[in-house]
């Protein structure tokens, strides 16, 4: 195999101990959207914040990379709720100072191939409903009941998020209120809820056609996350103009404004504690950064099993809590480059979800047991078609990305090898999986046969290498009902001065992790200052100016 050239897309400043300019008011571990949001919001309040990122570029799962003249995103294909003056949109505008712009996808933002049948998700609540009713006329009342349940979950989400802010004694006091506002429906199993509405397995499959957006099929996932995702995209999918790396690029200046910085190649080795109190961090080069406020956006698994001393974690009573959560499934990525534009190739601004049949859970189990079994889901995204700026940056070319689940265990035997040099048997296995994924693409878009100039395959080991997920987790912790009931998964920890943020605090998704950043900031600064901050975010002039959109 020829040597892979490193990507030239680099956001953030390369770490050197002598480039640190402390003391910092807070240090954030990880530059994903959760960490960047927390850092930017604290900076807006005048804090000097240092963000430490182990990767060569900032952004976590929002980073992009380039090779051989093409550019791909690794963890952002579409974002919902940014086509109107929603809270999500206002947050992005506030964080980026209005610099992050969005392009609408096609009205058909998702297409589901379920066996030999094809269905769509259409933008707009009414259009979404009508499209479903047309395809499933006998299920009209089930579809309406489903939409009502989505509303019910939507209404409960603020209370659920707010409950994460409470200290344990406050939660006890607020219990009657929380019980009223957060119905048990949120923590029920998705399939169970849907099968009470309809017996039509195709309809259930279509409603769950986005299960890949949280990594658990309907018989395993919590209805809350299912509903949250369905609601998130119901008004259409949007793509960050210029590529997903623009997210970090447009947020970092807010952190630098008050003297803070986002350092890359900056791996944190340990969080330092004294008597259950944070005193700072030890970097992988041995350098110590003193700071009484440390925010970990590196995920629960990294924070508790790698960064904190095991003894302190046990003593603080986390051991049995950690046993209640588990890593989400890992994934394969295929990054494809073509020497014609998206327009010339007829690529849509629609994501494809390709399923072998309507029993998603059975398909996952079959595949986990047997790598030769059909992929339980193949997700295909067309970033260059979605990005109106792509052909300016990379003229005459197009890109496609494929994502499919794959258990980390299949790759574990190569985990101690180095990236790009994992050996022939690893490459052979990768080729076997990659070629099968490419076949799925050609089946749906035969015009691409003979047009692909380049492609490469990533595995769960690539996810660990670049994004520091020890089990190649696609979405941090699994989004099952048990995880969502864990009240300790919030911004606060049992260690004074240590805070958590990112997708494990609330839910996965760029918006979920960004909202976790807002929660964490609120927990740190307290109720009074949060009220002022919220007013600034949701009333800011930048938000009023930036409401011109593609759709
Ligand atoms: C294939 C894929 C597709 C996705 N598609 C979408 C999509 O279309 N839309 C959407 O909304 N969401 C999508 N997501 C989910 C979304 O990208 C994530 O939920 C979100 O970006 C997570 O943000 P985060 O800040 O919690 O974590 P991350 O972005 O993972 O950031 C954590 C950071 O911590 C760093 N870190 C870890 N340990 C250390 C250490 N010791 N020292 C320093 N740094 C450390 C990591 O390198 C990483 O950069 C997708 C995810 C994947 C993997």
């Amino acid at each position: 195999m020829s040597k892979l050239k490193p990507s030239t897309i680099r956001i953030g400043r390369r770490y050197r101990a002598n480039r640190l300019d402390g003391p910092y008011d807070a240090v954030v571990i990880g530059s994903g959207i959760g960490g960047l949001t927390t850092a930017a919001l604290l900076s807006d309040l005048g804090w000097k914040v240092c963000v430490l990122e182990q990767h060569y570029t900032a952004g976590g799962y929002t980073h992009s990379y380039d090779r051989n003249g093409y550019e791909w995103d690794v963890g952002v294909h579409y974002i919902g709720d940014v086509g109107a003056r929603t809270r999500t949109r206002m947050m992005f505008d506030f964080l980026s100072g209005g610099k992050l712009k969005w392009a609408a996808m096609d009205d058909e933002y998702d297409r589901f191939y379920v066996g030999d049948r094809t269905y769509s998700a259409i933008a707009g609540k009414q259009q979404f409903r009508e499209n479903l009713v047309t395809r499933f006329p006998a299920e009209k009342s089930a579809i309406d009941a489903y939409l009502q349940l989505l509303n019910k979950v939507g209404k409960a989400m603020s209370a659920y998020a707010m409950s994460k802010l409470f200290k344990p004694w406050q939660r006890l006091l607020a219990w009657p209120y929380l019980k009223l506002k957060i119905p048990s429906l949120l923590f029920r199993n998705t399939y169970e809820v849907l099968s009470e509405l309809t017996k039509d397995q195709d309809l259930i499959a279509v409603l769950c056609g986005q299960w890949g957006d949280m990594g658990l099929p309907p018989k395993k996932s919590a209805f809350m996350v299912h509903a949250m995702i369905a609601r998130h995209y119901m008004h259409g999918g949007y793509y960050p103009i210029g590529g997903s790396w623009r997210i970090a690029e447009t947020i970092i200046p807010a952190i630098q404004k008050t003297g803070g910085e986002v350092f890359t190649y900056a791996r944190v080795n340990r969080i330092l504690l004294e008597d259950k109190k944070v005193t700072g961090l030890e970097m992988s080069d041995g350098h110590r950064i003193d700071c009484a406020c440390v925010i970990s956006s590196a995920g629960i698994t990294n924070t508790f099993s790698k960064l904190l001393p095991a003894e302190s974690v046990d003593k603080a009573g986390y051991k049995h809590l950690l046993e209640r959560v588990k890593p989400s499934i890992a994934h394969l990525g295929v990054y494809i480059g073509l020497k014609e534009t998206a327009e010339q190739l007829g690529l849509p601004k629609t994501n494809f979800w390709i399923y072998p049949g309507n029993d998603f859970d059975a398909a996952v189990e079959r595949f986990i047991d047997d790598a030769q079994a059909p992929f339980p889901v193949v997700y295909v995204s067309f970033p260059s078609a979605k990005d109106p700026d792509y052909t300016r940056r990379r003229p005459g070319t197009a890109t496609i990305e494929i994502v499919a689940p794959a258990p980390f265990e299949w790759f574990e035997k190569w985990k101690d090898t180095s990236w790009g040099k994992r050996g022939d048997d690893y490459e052979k296995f990768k080729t076997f999986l990659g070629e099968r994924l490419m076949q799925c693409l050609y089946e749906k878009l035969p015009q691409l046969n003979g047009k692909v100039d380049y492609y490469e395959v990533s595995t769960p080991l690539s996810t660990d290498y670049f994004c520091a997920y020890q089990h190649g987790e696609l979405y941090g912790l699994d989004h099952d009902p048990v995880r969502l009931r864990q009240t300790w998964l919030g911004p606060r920890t049992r260690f004074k001065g240590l805070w958590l943020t990112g997708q494990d605090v609330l839910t996965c998704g760029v918006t979920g992790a960004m909202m976790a950043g807002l929660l964490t900031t609120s927990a740190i600064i307290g109720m009074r200052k949060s009220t002022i901050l919220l007013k600034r975010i949701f009333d800011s002039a930048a938000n009023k100016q930036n409401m011109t959109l593609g759709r």
Side-chain angles (χ1 to χ4, degrees), residues 29-36 52-55 57-62 74-80 213 232-233 266-269 297-299 302 306-307 331 335 379 403 463 466-469 473-475 501-504 507-514:
I29 311 170
S31 69
I33 184 72
L36 289 181
L52 301 165
E53 168 57 53
Q54 57 84 32
H55 193 10
T57 188
Y61 271 152
T62 69
V74 303
V76 180
H77 301 113
Y78 62 149
I79 291 182
D213 283 334
H232 181 65
Y233 291 115
R267 184 180 288 272
V268 175
N269 245 6
S297 185
N302 281 331
K306 265 191 161 173
L307 299 174
H331 75 284
Y335 304 91
Y379 172 83
V403 181
T463 311
F466 293 111
C467 299
Y469 282 96
E473 297 96 306
L474 181 49
Y475 295 122
T501 199
Q503 60 184 346
D504 289 347
T507 65
C508 69
V510 173
T511 304
M514 176 175 72

Side-chain angles (χ1 to χ4, degrees), residues 77-83 102-105 235-240 549-551:
H77 301 113
Y78 62 149
I79 291 182
D81 257 347
V82 288
W102 301 94
M105 291 169 63
H235 295 280
Y238 290 80
Y239 183 84
L549 272 176
R551 191 179 290 289

Side-chain angles (χ1 to χ4, degrees), residues 34-256:
L36 289 181
T37 301
T38 315
L41 294 181
L42 288 173
S43 303
D44 185 66
L45 296 162
W47 291 40
K48 184 172 173 181
V49 186
C50 172
V51 180
L52 301 165
E53 168 57 53
Q54 57 84 32
H55 193 10
Y56 60 65
T57 188
Y61 271 152
T62 69
H63 84 266
S64 309
Y65 76 100
D66 66 347
R67 197 152 18 250
N68 288 16
Y70 303 102
E71 193 182 305
W72 301 278
D73 308 313
V74 303
V76 180
H77 301 113
Y78 62 149
I79 291 182
D81 257 347
V82 288
R85 203 162 179 272
T86 60
R87 276 169 190 256
T88 304
R89 178 64 197 269
M90 288 191 266
M91 275 289 287
F92 278 118
D93 282 349
F94 186 79
L95 294 170
S96 70
K99 296 225 162 52
L100 189 59
K101 305 282 183 200
W102 301 94
M105 291 169 63
D106 290 340
D107 282 345
E108 183 199 22
Y109 53 94
D110 276 327
R111 186 180 303 166
F112 310 114
Y113 295 95
V114 183
D116 54 9
R117 289 184 287 278
T118 307
Y119 303 92
S120 309
I122 306 289
K125 200 167 171 183
Q126 206 48 37
Q127 294 83 337
F128 181 92
R129 177 190 175 272
E130 274 161 24
N131 172 57
L132 279 180
V133 170
T134 309
R135 295 303 303 273
F136 299 94
E139 299 296 327
K140 194 170 162 192
S141 53
I143 293 163
D144 285 332
Y146 169 73
L147 292 171
Q148 275 170 19
L149 287 187
L150 294 193
N151 273 345
K152 202 169 167 183
V153 174
K155 282 189 188 137
M157 277 312 289
S158 306
Y160 178 79
M162 248 208 10
S163 73
K164 302 253 169 201
L165 280 179
F166 293 150
K167 294 177 183 159
W169 66 267
Q170 290 171 322
R171 192 174 295 112
L172 263 183
L173 277 184
W175 178 237
Y177 167 83
L178 293 178
K179 224 173 146 218
L180 194 76
K181 292 285 178 189
I182 309 176
S184 55
L185 168 73
L186 269 69
F187 309 107
R188 291 188 63 200
N189 168 285
T190 305
Y191 184 79
E192 249 174 56
V193 173
L194 298 182
S195 54
E196 284 169 9
L197 302 178
T198 177
K199 297 288 166 242
D200 189 321
Q201 299 305 305
D202 276 352
L203 175 59
I204 293 181
V206 174
L207 297 178
C208 295
Q210 298 163 328
W211 74 258
D213 283 334
M214 51 121 147
L216 273 184
K219 288 182 184 154
K220 296 230 162 63
S221 65
F223 186 67
M224 174 183 128
V225 186
H226 164 88
M228 207 198 67
I229 290 169
R231 282 172 58 82
H232 181 65
Y233 291 115
M234 195 156 284
H235 295 280
Y238 290 80
Y239 183 84
I241 298 178
S244 72
W245 58 280
R246 286 282 296 155
I247 297 177
E249 196 195 40
T250 54
I251 297 176
I252 290 173
I255 300 163
Q256 292 166 329

Side-chain angles (χ1 to χ4, degrees), residues 330-350:
H331 75 284
L332 301 166
V334 186
Y335 304 91
I336 303 160
L338 305 101
K339 284 236 180 291
E340 280 179 41
T341 65
E343 203 178 336
Q344 288 164 333
L345 293 162
L347 304 182
K349 297 181 210 169
T350 304

